[in-house]
Amino acid sequence: MVIEVIAISLTDAKAAQQAGADRIELVAAIAEGGLTPSYAMIESVCGEVTIPVNVMIRPHSRSFFYDENDIQVMLKDIQICKQLGASGIVIGALTEEYAIDEHTLQRLIAAADGLDITFHRAFDEVKDQSKALETLMAYKEISRVLTSGGKNKVLDAVNEIQALEQQASHSHIQIMPGSGLTPTTLPSFITQIHVSEFHFGSGVRHQASFDHCIDANKIRDIRDIMLFRA
């Protein structure tokens, strides 16, 4: 099973790797839900860790609706991520009707040109998650959907995650639960959900806060939990 950990610094990324994380989601401005990090940050992290680094591509935090100016920035950011050695990108775009913005999505996918792609928690704002997932499953380039099942915390969305998991089970897309998972909450959650990738943010930090650094022991505990389940 895959443990993905949010990193907001090079120190985070190195600590997560050393503790046993399988993949980094690299972001800036986590208090705003995560924005694209600086090019220097991307280059430093990709140059100093060996596990995959997927970079958030999000130009602002106002919404997940993007105009042409926003899209041009996102396309350039994706190009730079490729040049700096990122393994993948983390993207999402919605229409003002809160459905998947396929026009924008297609342009971002084309720019990715082989990079690993995660569709991020913009998915949790769509009006119809089943319909949205059906749309995303048409794109073979998208590896996974990060979601809390439309709830604030994924622990409150077990039924929703199960439904999405079932819907995606015969496709190439992985459902990756995130938001609220910790070494304490994971054991009961993992018995109800049969996915292979999990996303961790504040739950693997000291005092469960992005104001504090990564707690390597929490990542090790999560690894042990997953090994026991396997």
Side-chain angles (χ1 to χ4, degrees), residues 4 16 73 116:
E4 179 178 276
V73 170
D116 185 49

Side-chain angles (χ1 to χ4, degrees), residues 123-124 129 147-151 154 157 160-161 164 178:
F123 186 80
D124 289 320
Q129 287 201 327
T147 178
S148 61
K151 307 287 188 179
V154 74
E160 289 82 356
I161 296 294
L164 292 169

Side-chain angles (χ1 to χ4, degrees), residues 146-164:
L146 170 61
T147 178
S148 61
K151 307 287 188 179
N152 186 43
K153 299 295 182 183
V154 74
L155 304 171
D156 299 321
V158 170
N159 291 339
E160 289 82 356
I161 296 294
Q162 288 173 336
L164 292 169

Side-chain angles (χ1 to χ4, degrees), residues 57-114:
I57 304 295
R58 189 180 178 208
H60 62 71
S61 60
R62 294 191 305 275
S63 70
F64 296 112
F65 314 143
Y66 301 118
D67 64 20
E68 183 60 27
N69 292 325
D70 297 328
I71 294 168
Q72 288 300 320
V73 170
M74 296 167 82
L75 294 174
K76 181 65 174 180
D77 281 336
I78 292 170
Q79 180 184 16
I80 295 294
C81 283
K82 291 169 63 177
Q83 295 172 359
L84 297 180
S87 301
I89 55 173
V90 183
I91 60 174
L94 304 181
T95 69
E96 293 187 5
E97 293 71 41
Y98 292 91
I100 303 297
D101 181 349
E102 289 194 75
H103 178 67
T104 298
L105 183 63
Q106 289 165 4
R107 295 174 68 184
L108 300 179
I109 288 173
D113 189 28

